[in-house]
Amino acid sequence: MPRVNYEAPTSVDDAVKILAGASGLAKVMSGGTDLLVQLRSGRVKPDLIVDTKRIPGLIGIREEGDFFVVGAATPGVMLSGNEKLDHAWPGIVEGADLIGSTQIQGRASLAGNLCNASPAADSVPAVIAARAAVVVAGPNGTREVPAESIPTGPGRTSLAKGEFIVAFKIPKPKPHQCDAYLRFIPRTEMDIAVVGCGTNVTLDASGTCIDARVVLGAVAPTIVVVEDAAKALIGHKLDDATLAALDAAAQKACKPISDKRGTIEYRTKVAGVLARRTAAIAFERAAAR
Amino acid sequence: MSYLDKEALKVVGTRPIRPDGIDKVIGRASFGADYTMPGMLWGKVKRSPHAHARILKIDVSKALRVPGVRAIVTAADFPNIANEEAFVGEGPMNFRDLSRNCMARDKALYDGHAVAAVAATSNAAAEEAAELIEVEYEVLPHVIDVEAAMAPGAPILHDDMLTQGVEPKPTKPSNVAKKITFTKGDIAKGFAEAEVVIERKYTTKPVHQAYIEPHACVVAVANDGQTTIWSSSQGQFMVRAYCAKLLGVDIANIRAMPAEIGGGFGGKTLVYLEPVAMALSKKSGRPVKLVMNREEVFRGTGPTSGGTIEVKLGAKRSGRIVAAELVLKYQAGAFAGSPVGPGCMCAFAMYDLDNVHITGYDVVSNRPKVAAYRAPGAPISSFGVESCLDELARELGIDPLALREMNAARDGTKTPYGPTLTNVGYLQTVEAARNHPNAKIPLGPNQGRGIASGFWFNIGGESSAAVHVNEDGTVAVVEGNPDIGGSRASMAMMAAEVLGIPYEKVRPVVGDTASIGFTFLTGGSRVTFATGMAVTQAAEKVVEQLKSRAAAIWDISPEAVEWRDGKAFPAGANAGSFEPLSLADIAIKSGRTGGPITAEVSINAQGAGPGFATHICDVEVDRETGHVKILRYTAVQDVGRAIHPSYVEGQIQGGVTQGVGWALNEEYIYDKDGRLENAGFLDYRIPVASDMPMIDAVMVEVPNPRHPFGARGVGEVPIVPPMAAVANAIADAVGARMRDLPMSPPKLRAELDELDPPRMAAE
């Protein structure tokens, strides 16, 4: 009969030791909102589950200099409940806030969403758009890498055996910098993104874009940082020509599949739509600061 | 007696709390999966991964070696049932087909078809053993869609299926089980007189009832064969009849207990698990519990049909329709029995038409056998007809409500399927819709308004009810229908009204098959009508007894006693002068005046009044994403008389919500091998609460004179108009005529791009 071992270490070192020493499939669990569903449906059959929630610092948001440090297992409600983070990065909070239902929000975490490595993960595009880094603990100590380097394909990550994410380091916004996240779903909530888009812009005093990141979800095997879309924005105000160029760049970056949630053609069109709509929101927010 | 004078009613028409409400709110109500028994085993069904395959061999040897396994059954453990029509459930059924649907014999006919089942001492052992049952298949070509299944050369599901209803009798098998036709007047003459002819084709997808509670049961077969079944269904008598037949035992050997039911909508008018659990219990000698998970519900149980609807309408420029032709092809799933018959009958039933020709086809394909779903068949044909009427209205430049009014069925209208309508409330629904504020609210850009109407017969049938006066003056009402829509409250209200006592003094319960007379299942919107009639008559009999007991106490003639406000009074001065006796006064003395006061009534209720509805839907379309937002929804319905208005409104709102899901997003997605890809609520998209506005349920009351309180069935007609109402609103908003359901965002965006190709930015 199938057996699963469960460990809930209380320090990063212990967690690394347990993970590094595990035989068979070991899964790291923070909120468990993906893992438990996969377990029940039989899609994953782990030999070991390592719960990180009892490790000090894994839950909570703190400020360290120019960064917000968000513990890897911090649930969504704590993100939306944090006024400073919500004010600094409304797009990041919007993305995390769209995941599941109120009940799910009590558990679902940024690290879980990133490491589940679905290209449709709602909290990830805005995090990447903000140039967030993740702190990875492992047998060789800790390392800091850009958030976008973690997922490598659907369900796959760049984390090595024994490694797990401890925290997100999200830089605080510069003057006239802000973000936005939108996703498209056929309903109004409780659904998986057909396309998601996080856009982060920095303006000068005249309202011209001086820096930008546009990140698309659910249009390729991983989340896509669309360099050409950023280029379409930088050096411009948000006029019709800029929006058209942004739309085209976003569509060009799409390499989606047709599946039960959307066709290639539809996803591509909607990527352009959401790029325009998130840019409009982010510009307005940035200009207001 | 009749209680149609609304002013005189004290209980009926009010909105008390339902007797099962608190249990359900706090989670104490016992549903199908909540029963357990000492020594009970857990069962698991092994299902076919193939859409169409011959079963060559089933090897259970490895599965039997799993510790804790007590029994494994396959088709070999069930009697091989002969071809025989069953009149047990809501729609057409054949005992042989039902048996083979519960457990595949020779062939698996759809992905998810049960091929074996195991019972073990734990759920985990049962699951492990089910995986170890080895089934050797010869995979056969399969067919999913209805027109593909009708095409020459399509894979044939049943070698003995010769299409009924065609002349000369076919000699070769096909997937068309049956062809039916309905004719009124002279269709050729009608079209010859037409000044405008409009011909369109529409399609719908199969949609699931999406009840929240998955199927579940516990079955205990004793050594002497006496069997007890606890299960969640729309009819304990239906469960008993099917299990007796499928297992080859006498009905007297089975007692079926009704659990609370977490939604049915027609989908629990047949059995899936009970016969299998019964076979496992018989073989193991232990009680067996079987519970489906959500994936099994989607793969293994019946949705309603998908279909094609070809409509041809001929009209005068004035809007008067002179010819109406309809061809319906309904997908039945793996066995014959789609609701194409009622689809044919309901399509034009709102209208007074002289020349009508309707053809229907019942077609099998490699999908789960369809089951009833609210007004089975009517929403499908009505989507086509009501959309086409809207297209006709636009073509003629006539207001869609005016077009319907001009052609409306009235008292005395002969329907295309035969009967003549009486006490028709259709025009009143059109009128109420026209006068509703929703019809006048100005619309903004990309917003549109759609109108559609619907019809459902409603049925009566066999019902039993008992009214027992308790010794303290409270009352027990026992009825035979599982309560899926608040009907217990309505039963208690009707009994309280007749007896003249407060609603709170009446406790209604749903009896098992051994404690109340035969009662046809909960379906066809029949319970408040038919079982309500039985309850009313039983309560009236109790009143007669109460009067005679008072007469005995007073030593006067029973005719000299009058019953009002829950008390016995002398009928007049000549009867004598006595203090009135309340129901409680009489009850406490019943032992000394003739024994318990009780009455049971069993009837075959006739005269169910048909239901008509007219809906208004306002939408806003996001042109860039194809997303449709329902802005406002008003559902006007002739409800006869609302016994409990809140639950009538609830029925209307629920039906509309399911209809909106059907319209916008619900569909089964199959891969190329015929495997269902979206067997769960994540990707089978029923509406969530935030998708819906508050639905305004407008009750028009045209009392049904055949019911003591004027009730009509109300639960089914509200799902008939929404698909066309939404489609008509989208057409009004953005000019895109969506003829294929669901009108999902990708499809609507593609349609909009076709009307107005997007201008891409120069690269």
Side-chain angles (χ1 to χ4, degrees), chain A residues 131 174-177 200-213 230 233-237 283:
Chain A
R131 294 195 173 91
K174 300 187 185 77
H176 302 306
Q177 184 182 14
N200 190 308
V201 298
T202 311
L203 310 181
D204 66 13
S206 75
T208 300
C209 181
I210 53 172
D211 189 18
R213 263 197 142 193
L233 292 174
I234 294 168
H236 297 279
K237 293 189 176 170
F283 266 69

Side-chain angles (χ1 to χ4, degrees), chain A residues 1-2 41 45 184-192 194 244-245 247-248 251-252 259-263 265-266 269-270 273-274 276-277, chain B residues 67 122 124-125 128 131 622 624-627 665 669 677-678 681-688 690-691 745-746 749-750 753 760-761 763:
Chain A
M1 219 154 305
S41 72
K45 291 179 176 156
F184 180 78
I185 55 171
R187 293 184 287 203
T188 46
E189 60 181 332
M190 311 263 275
D191 217 329
I192 305 271
V194 176
D247 186 319
Q251 292 203 42
K252 210 176 161 197
D259 68 2
K260 59 193 173 189
R261 296 188 185 132
T263 60
E265 191 190 17
Y266 181 73
K269 286 177 195 167
V270 172
V273 174
L274 294 190
R276 279 189 278 113
R277 291 183 181 180
Chain B
S122 74
E128 188 182 350
E131 277 189 29
D622 182 335
E624 291 192 316
T625 62
H627 187 268
N665 284 308
I669 301 166
E677 285 196 320
N678 60 332
F681 280 137
L682 185 56
D683 288 300
Y684 181 88
R685 292 189 173 79
I686 60 172
V688 295
S690 53
D691 291 343
R749 167 78 205 239
D753 284 349
M760 280 298 300
E763 288 183 30

Side-chain angles (χ1 to χ4, degrees), chain A residues 53-265:
Chain A
K53 287 192 290 294
R54 294 193 194 166
I55 301 170
L58 265 278
I59 293 177
I61 301 164
R62 57 189 187 273
E63 291 174 62
E64 286 181 7
D66 290 337
F67 294 91
F68 291 100
V69 178
V70 180
T74 306
V77 283
M78 289 181 73
L79 300 181
S80 49
N82 187 299
E83 277 181 29
K84 281 188 174 169
L85 184 69
D86 189 30
H87 180 259
W89 296 123
I92 290 179
V93 173
E94 280 162 359
D97 212 27
L98 285 172
I99 297 171
S101 59
T102 303
Q103 290 90 334
I104 295 290
Q105 289 286 314
R107 285 286 186 188
S109 68
L110 288 185
N113 207 211
L114 184 67
C115 294
N116 187 50
S118 159
D122 281 312
S123 73
V124 177
V127 165
I128 292 175
R131 294 195 173 91
V134 292
V135 181
V136 177
N140 303 319
T142 59
R143 59 189 176 104
E144 258 183 48
V145 295
E148 59 264 40
S149 71
I150 297 296
T152 55
R156 294 196 312 272
T157 71
S158 59
L159 295 172
K161 186 173 167 70
E163 286 190 326
F164 72 104
I165 295 177
V166 175
F168 285 71
K169 280 182 75 177
I170 308 171
K172 291 182 178 173
K174 300 187 185 77
H176 302 306
Q177 184 182 14
C178 205
D179 68 345
Y181 177 77
L182 290 174
R183 68 167 181 189
F184 180 78
I185 55 171
R187 293 184 287 203
T188 46
E189 60 181 332
M190 311 263 275
D191 217 329
I192 305 271
V194 176
V195 180
C197 183
T199 297
N200 190 308
V201 298
T202 311
L203 310 181
D204 66 13
S206 75
T208 300
C209 181
I210 53 172
D211 189 18
R213 263 197 142 193
V214 179
V215 183
L216 288 170
V219 295
T222 60
I223 280 172
V224 183
V225 180
V226 189
E227 304 288 355
D228 285 345
K231 281 184 196 153
L233 292 174
I234 294 168
H236 297 279
K237 293 189 176 170
L238 204 62
D239 51 29
D240 286 350
T242 305
L243 283 170
L246 171 66
D247 186 319
Q251 292 203 42
K252 210 176 161 197
C254 294
K255 292 179 183 64
I257 53 168
S258 283
D259 68 2
K260 59 193 173 189
R261 296 188 185 132
T263 60
I264 291 172
E265 191 190 17

